[in-house]
Amino acid sequence: MRTRNLIFLALLVVAIVMTAAAQQTTSAPQNSQAGSPSGQTAPAQASSAQTQSTLAPPTTMDQVVDRAIVREKDLIKFLSQRTPVVETYLQNLTQDPQLGPIPQDDRYFLGRMDLSDSIDRSDFLAEKDKDKEDSMEKRLLGSLTGKFKFQYQPLGFSWMIYADRNDFDRQHYEFHYARREFLGDVRCLVFDVTPKKDAGRGRFVGRIWVEDQDFNIVRLNGTYARPSRNTYYFHMDSWRLNLIPGYWVPSYIYSEEGNFTAGAKNKLAFKAQTRLWGYNLKLGKVDDELTQIRVDSVKDTSPDAQDASPLAAEREWQQQAEDNVIERLERAGLLAPDGDVDKVLQTVVNNLLITNNVELPRPVRTRVLTTSPLETFSVGNTIIVSRGLIDVLPDEGSLAMVLSHELAHIVLGHNLGSQYAFNDRMLFSDEGTFHNLGFKHIPEEETAADKKAIDMLKASPYAQKLETAGLFLKALQVRAPQLSALLQAHLGNSIVENGTVTRMAALETSAPALDWNKLDQIAALPLGGRVKLNPWDNKVEMVKAQPVAITSARDKMPFEVTPFFPRLARYNANAPTGNSTPATTAANQTATPATAADAAPSH
Ligand SMILES: [Zn+2]
């Protein structure tokens, strides 16, 4: 079963005593007034970096290297109490004569990483996993072993988080200054790093980028040296973001192997994206919850309020279930906090509601699932769409298509999940989320929702934009057999069943023919281009990337994995997400119907 690949491990949850350091930055509203950031958001962890800054600036490259080594050890220590979510999505590639390397099949992994000690120790697995001797990464990458003869020691490809967790020092490595280079807004000193002769197997070899203020490593690119026979180390490009003062947090890792030159013998070919997030999840900390839960409970304000009528009681019950689920998913790191992307989604939902004269007793809310697989579901009046799905949608019309289906469930009263109003049902470990929660509708409700959704779309401003929605489904149909992991829903109904697009399939018939060679026809986007997830606080925002002209069919890369190239910026306390560029700040201020379309690449 595919779900077996999906291992959501909760490791020993150390009851982390959060210091002021770990306080979630208060959701700074976009007032952007210049002024000192509020005192409570100045984390204590900055002190270490500030000490660094007040040190005399290094005068030689050797001193820079020494400083970078110290900073790396500080980072390892700082993150040692964190258990971020780690997600790897991998596409095995095959050569298509026309389109180049395209996905042949795919794999998905979701887990929780304990950064408290060396990653290959086995005793950090939860008690119930004790009988399995496999280390975590072995389990995480289990399905790859036969295929790739993967070398686990010391790090799997999900794990180029540090160059060398234990021995990143001059005893084990040579450092050679290469040059200065800007990564985004950040000036860096670039060093080539090679293991010394007797440093042993599994040592980092490659390049590091060190920012020139506090001398933190912000990017690592390379592999691990001297594999033994029948083993293989993948190449990785690992990026860090300055999401909190003083520290650059490992965030994205891209990995790629494959040689498609004529006569190449190596059959191994894949590309994979690994994302880390949820560094600031407050696991099991009850007294933190007051700051986390957003309860929009129904308040009866009528002066002569009595007990709820049967219908009112039913609605309140649904609301309770909805709030429970939202809170639980957010606590597991699977749901982004309410934010700017929701405003975009909400606008589309409102456009559909208003033009269809639908009035609901409670407002419809939208939220973003932090994961990549393409899925949607709704619980109570909240529509949830995955980050990956928003990424690949080509335009606002297709976003409306996706939302309209879930909205139809709500309008038709297809409420699922009232059982979650019982709080005992929320008492499960994070790794049990996908086993304990489920929002799959029966086929009859799916059919009814599709029909209702198409009726609503036709009466809405999106009636003229349904061709691209249909094209999106056509593109999905072409790739569906190869992308079963990406298309496997974990909480709701899958958009594709048994390799065939079922969701809103009627729209395919009215769409124009899919033609990869038509450069102005963008049916679906690559993953990762639209929604930016903040690895520290899980907030999401719309990416405002400069449109890049498509010059060949190979540029389209629908549903594909691509390298990461984040625009690095220093921590900015005033920025809504701490890593904002002027462009993304602008995105935060728009919540008009045009926003979703604005984010689409130019045609
Ligand atoms: Zn449905």
Side-chain angles (χ1 to χ4, degrees):
M1 237 176 89
R2 180 72 48 186
T3 43
R4 238 181 252 161
N5 286 344
L6 190 133
I7 303 159
F8 196 77
L9 286 174
L11 304 171
L12 290 180
V13 175
V14 185
I16 302 165
V17 180
M18 297 283 174
T19 60
Q23 269 185 14
Q24 212 163 17
T25 348
T26 50
S27 58
Q30 293 81 32
N31 54 14
S32 293
Q33 294 296 333
S36 62
S38 59
Q40 83 239 39
T41 62
Q45 70 234 13
S47 59
S48 167
Q50 278 158 2
T51 314
Q52 286 289 317
S53 301
T54 54
L55 293 174
T59 51
T60 66
M61 285 305 163
D62 271 353
Q63 287 173 2
V64 169
V65 168
D66 289 339
R67 204 71 80 80
I69 288 171
V70 169
R71 291 304 300 149
E72 189 70 357
K73 290 192 191 314
D74 284 351
L75 178 74
I76 289 168
K77 193 170 160 221
F78 172 63
L79 293 181
S80 65
Q81 291 188 320
R82 307 280 161 175
T83 56
V85 176
V86 56
E87 178 195 65
T88 296
Y89 177 58
L90 180 151
Q91 292 178 332
N92 286 309
L93 304 175
T94 186
Q95 178 77 357
D96 178 272
Q98 183 198 359
L99 298 172
I102 59 167
Q104 183 178 39
D105 60 28
D106 63 348
R107 299 281 189 281
Y108 182 68
F109 313 100
L110 186 65
R112 202 129 235 175
M113 182 137 58
D114 187 341
L115 296 173
S116 66
D117 211 326
S118 70
I119 288 159
D120 57 352
R121 55 182 274 185
S122 53
D123 58 321
F124 64 56
L125 289 174
E127 278 299 299
K128 61 183 181 314
D129 294 318
K130 240 184 176 172
D131 52 323
K132 296 164 191 146
E133 283 183 13
D134 292 351
S135 61
M136 178 182 174
E137 69 270 27
K138 197 161 188 173
R139 299 192 57 201
L140 200 79
L141 301 168
S143 62
L144 283 176
T145 50
K147 220 168 194 170
F148 296 144
K149 297 198 160 97
F150 185 75
Q151 170 62 276
Y152 297 107
Q153 303 293 337
L155 304 165
F157 73 83
S158 323
W159 317 96
M160 193 187 269
I161 291 169
Y162 309 119
D164 188 324
R165 195 180 187 299
N166 300 317
D167 300 311
F168 189 66
D169 52 38
R170 288 186 182 281
Q171 284 76 57
H172 295 83
Y173 290 98
E174 305 273 7
F175 296 83
H176 298 285
Y177 171 70
R179 61 164 188 261
R180 281 177 205 273
E181 184 181 341
F182 270 96
L183 292 181
D185 303 335
V186 179
R187 193 169 60 177
C188 296
L189 301 161
V190 185
F191 294 89
D192 287 326
V193 181
T194 48
K196 288 195 170 168
K197 231 189 248 160
D198 51 355
R201 290 190 198 285
R203 296 297 183 190
F204 175 75
V205 54
R207 179 164 276 200
I208 58 172
W209 283 253
V210 177
E211 47 90 13
D212 74 347
Q213 269 181 24
D214 296 322
F215 307 100
N216 294 290
I217 297 176
V218 302
R219 183 185 179 192
L220 307 126
N221 175 305
T223 186
Y224 293 98
R226 297 187 200 123
S228 52
R229 255 162 59 89
N230 295 330
T231 63
Y232 198 89
Y233 292 118
F234 299 140
H235 290 85
M236 282 166 272
D237 189 27
S238 178
W239 293 80
R240 297 174 178 179
L241 300 178
N242 194 192
L243 302 173
I244 46 162
Y247 291 96
W248 289 73
V249 183
S251 302
Y252 307 119
I253 302 164
Y254 177 70
S255 192
E256 178 187 292
E257 299 292 338
N259 180 354
F260 289 104
T261 53
K265 294 235 166 59
N266 194 349
K267 290 282 188 318
L268 175 76
F270 72 83
K271 46 188 183 175
Q273 286 184 339
T274 297
R275 289 180 164 82
L276 292 107
W277 70 85
Y279 280 100
N280 207 25
L281 284 177
K282 292 164 188 167
L283 300 166
K285 280 280 285 170
V286 176
D287 47 351
D288 282 327
E289 292 186 355
L290 276 177
T291 59
Q292 274 209 332
I293 314 172
R294 268 161 263 270
V295 184
D296 299 336
S297 38
V298 179
K299 283 212 181 70
D300 193 342
T301 52
S302 58
D304 52 349
Q306 298 294 316
D307 289 346
S309 71
L311 180 57
E314 174 65 24
R315 284 183 181 153
E316 197 145 343
W317 186 249
Q318 290 285 352
Q319 180 74 51
Q320 197 173 314
E322 178 179 339
D323 289 340
N324 278 349
V325 170
I326 299 297
E327 188 272 334
R328 188 66 192 85
L329 285 173
E330 202 173 314
R331 194 147 46 86
L334 296 178
L335 205 65
D338 196 8
D340 296 302
V341 176
D342 297 314
K343 288 182 196 150
V344 175
L345 304 186
Q346 209 109 38
T347 305
V348 175
V349 167
N350 289 342
N351 287 343
L352 288 166
L353 286 174
I354 291 165
T355 48
N356 282 278
N357 299 313
V358 177
E359 282 191 36
L360 295 166
R362 293 185 287 127
V364 174
R365 305 184 290 184
T366 59
R367 296 294 285 273
V368 178
L369 202 66
T370 50
T371 48
S372 291
L374 315 187
E375 70 173 306
T376 67
F377 61 95
S378 46
V379 49
N381 271 31
T382 299
I383 296 173
I384 294 168
V385 185
S386 69
R387 171 179 52 78
L389 180 54
I390 301 173
D391 270 347
V392 297
L393 293 171
D395 68 349
E396 193 176 345
S398 51
L399 178 61
M401 167 192 71
V402 161
L403 291 168
S404 67
H405 174 89
E406 295 302 337
L407 187 60
H409 280 308
I410 293 173
V411 170
L412 294 171
H414 296 169
N415 262 312
L416 287 180
S418 66
Q419 70 268 31
Y420 303 124
F422 289 109
N423 291 284
D424 58 289
R425 294 207 164 107
M426 295 297 109
L427 300 178
F428 50 82
S429 60
D430 290 349
E431 89 272 27
T433 301
F434 295 152
H435 298 291
N436 285 276
L437 297 180
F439 307 93
K440 276 194 173 61
H441 290 278
I442 56 172
E444 290 80 2
E445 287 185 350
E446 283 299 286
T447 308
D450 275 353
K451 189 171 175 299
K452 177 75 183 170
I454 287 170
D455 288 348
M456 286 196 292
L457 286 169
K458 286 189 172 156
S460 80
Y462 305 109
Q464 311 308 317
K465 299 176 184 172
L466 296 181
E467 285 197 349
T468 42
L471 262 179
F472 171 79
L473 295 174
K474 281 187 170 177
L476 194 59
Q477 182 57 66
V478 170
R479 284 283 184 272
Q482 286 79 45
L483 300 178
S484 51
L486 187 67
L487 296 172
Q488 171 73 53
H490 298 289
L491 290 165
N493 293 81
S494 290
I495 296 170
V496 171
E497 303 282 355
N498 301 321
T500 303
V501 173
T502 47
R503 179 83 53 92
M504 305 291 276
L507 291 177
E508 283 185 67
T509 51
S510 54
L514 185 70
D515 183 354
W516 297 126
N517 284 320
K518 239 178 130 193
L519 296 187
D520 61 348
Q521 187 191 73
I522 306 296
L525 305 183
L527 283 163
R530 217 186 253 299
V531 180
K532 191 154 105 180
L533 170 63
N534 181 311
W536 189 257
D537 59 19
N538 289 0
K539 286 183 186 163
V540 287
E541 63 178 311
M542 283 294 189
V543 175
K544 278 271 180 173
Q546 285 293 334
V548 177
I550 283 177
T551 57
S552 82
R554 295 189 182 195
D555 286 346
K556 291 187 178 179
M557 300 184 289
F559 311 107
E560 287 182 36
V561 161
T562 62
F564 294 108
F565 238 93
R567 181 175 176 82
L568 297 190
R570 293 190 182 279
Y571 177 77
N572 173 3
N574 288 323
T577 63
N579 188 47
S580 189
T581 61
T584 53
T585 307
N588 287 325
Q589 289 159 350
T590 47
T592 61
T595 307
D598 285 349
S602 71
H603 294 182

